[in-house]
Amino acid sequence: MSKTIAVIGLGLIGGSMALALKGFEDFEIVGVDVSEPTLRFAAEHGVGDRITADAGEVVPQADMTILCLHPRGITRFLEEYKDRFKPGSLVTDVCGIKTAIMAAAEVLPPEVDFIGCHPMAGTEFSGIEHAFGEMFQKSHLILTPRESSKAEHIALMERLADYIGCKDVVRTTPEEHDAILAYTSQMMHIIAVSVCDDPMLFTCKGFEGSSFRGCTRVAALDVGLWTQLFSMNAPALLTALDRLEENLHAYREAIASGDTKLLSEKLAYSAGRKRKMNLEGPDLLSLD
């Protein structure tokens, strides 16, 4: 193997990425982590081609570095290693916020390319023991290139997406990514944890159906990760929550009024929008 991809951070996403990338073109996949139990598990389960705790040894040799850390971990890593990345190499990430990460990447020298990346995949679990190579099958891969990003590096990311099984690659700006993800992901997690704050949570066993389980599935989240995602994307998330509060209030008012015609009209409007979204598919939500 003549080239190297360094996967920095072997948690759920990083571990899954290292598994999914094995055999990709002529790259050696090197997994990097500081946790001894994580490294031991990775070595025992063939996560990547090689495993190490020494990022300082791998980064200067890597043709591509994928940062799979929590958001603040990514910003710290970029600052610490800014002068050690291989000239001409590509650095990318898998973070669920992009504006803050793209700003942090400004510390890189001009000879090191950076393309923001967010695979729309995951589970409610965390840790390498839950990683699996099929994680990214049929998922969207969102890219936020810089104006200076090289065409060959964008093409490399597109080939990588195809290799790990992604459904498509969507390009957008960091700002649009963060505004939409505040709605499609972060707000959904806020709803889930809010439902679990209800006093009825522990009295509902035997009464919960698939809608309840689906709504609350992501509530058992990685607290450290989601604290950073919520706080680092606060303006966009607050805007999304303001809209949600308005919509919830409108439904509450319709129910409280006893006006079943109004309630039926609101339900028909909302259901129709959901059906239209399903019929029109990904193009309706295109981020281009």
Side-chain angles (χ1 to χ4, degrees):
M1 295 180 181
S2 60
K3 294 185 289 186
T4 299
I5 293 178
V7 180
I8 310 296
L10 297 176
L12 174 69
I13 301 298
S16 296
M17 186 66 71
L19 284 166
L21 282 174
K22 289 186 73 172
F24 176 56
E25 297 183 359
D26 60 345
F27 287 98
E28 179 188 29
I29 311 303
V30 182
V32 181
D33 204 282
V34 296
S35 164
E36 284 300 327
T38 295
L39 292 169
R40 185 165 55 251
F41 185 96
E44 291 171 353
H45 292 82
V47 179
D49 299 307
R50 181 160 59 91
I51 303 299
T52 181
D54 191 354
E57 179 266 328
V58 176
V59 165
Q61 309 299 322
D63 300 278
M64 179 179 184
T65 302
I66 306 176
L67 303 177
C68 304
L69 306 167
H70 285 191
R72 297 204 184 280
I74 291 176
T75 62
R76 287 193 296 268
F77 195 93
L78 287 168
E79 177 63 37
E80 181 178 353
Y81 288 90
K82 61 179 185 255
D83 298 319
R84 303 176 71 179
F85 291 104
K86 183 178 180 179
S89 70
L90 169 64
V91 181
T92 187
D93 74 302
V94 298
C95 188
I97 53 172
K98 293 273 77 80
T99 305
I101 298 301
M102 298 299 289
E106 291 298 317
V107 301
L108 296 176
E111 60 270 19
V112 175
D113 200 359
F114 186 90
I115 296 176
C117 173
H118 182 198
M120 293 296 295
T123 73
E124 64 270 36
F125 304 108
S126 61
I128 194 169
E129 62 272 20
H130 298 292
F132 59 103
E134 297 75 31
M135 167 78 74
F136 311 101
Q137 293 286 329
K138 301 190 182 307
S139 65
H140 304 294
L141 188 81
I142 302 175
L143 298 182
T144 58
R146 299 193 290 194
E147 288 186 8
S148 60
S149 292
K150 296 179 179 178
E152 60 262 35
H153 285 155
I154 294 174
L156 173 60
M157 292 299 296
E158 290 172 342
R159 296 197 307 276
L160 179 151
D162 182 67
Y163 186 82
I164 65 177
C166 292
K167 178 179 183 178
D168 54 22
V169 175
V170 182
R171 290 197 220 176
T172 187
T173 64
E175 295 79 13
E176 187 171 32
H177 169 279
D178 288 356
I180 293 178
L181 265 293
Y183 168 63
T184 63
S185 176
Q186 294 163 15
M187 188 173 75
M188 299 302 114
H189 285 73
I190 291 287
I191 292 170
V193 294
S194 297
V195 169
C196 288
D197 287 345
D198 193 288
M200 291 191 68
L201 180 67
F202 296 106
T203 64
C204 72
K205 282 192 176 294
F207 295 85
E208 75 278 24
S210 59
S211 59
F212 182 87
R213 290 190 294 271
C215 175
T216 59
R217 180 182 64 83
V218 297
L221 44 68
D222 180 329
V223 173
L225 171 62
W226 286 94
T227 298
Q228 292 183 29
L229 290 172
F230 292 159
S231 61
M232 293 173 75
N233 197 33
L237 179 55
L238 289 172
T239 298
L241 290 174
D242 286 342
R243 295 196 305 267
L244 175 65
E245 286 185 342
E246 290 174 4
N247 291 332
L248 287 172
H249 182 72
Y251 265 104
R252 191 190 189 287
E253 290 295 297
I255 294 167
S257 73
D259 187 340
T260 55
K261 182 175 182 294
L262 172 62
L263 178 59
S264 180
E265 288 172 350
K266 283 189 62 61
L267 290 168
Y269 174 76
S270 302
R273 284 170 61 83
K274 171 59 177 173
R275 292 189 185 101
K276 182 180 179 183
M277 173 188 167
N278 288 349
L279 286 172
E280 297 194 11
D283 289 342
L284 185 69
L285 297 178
S286 173
L287 304 183
D288 290 336

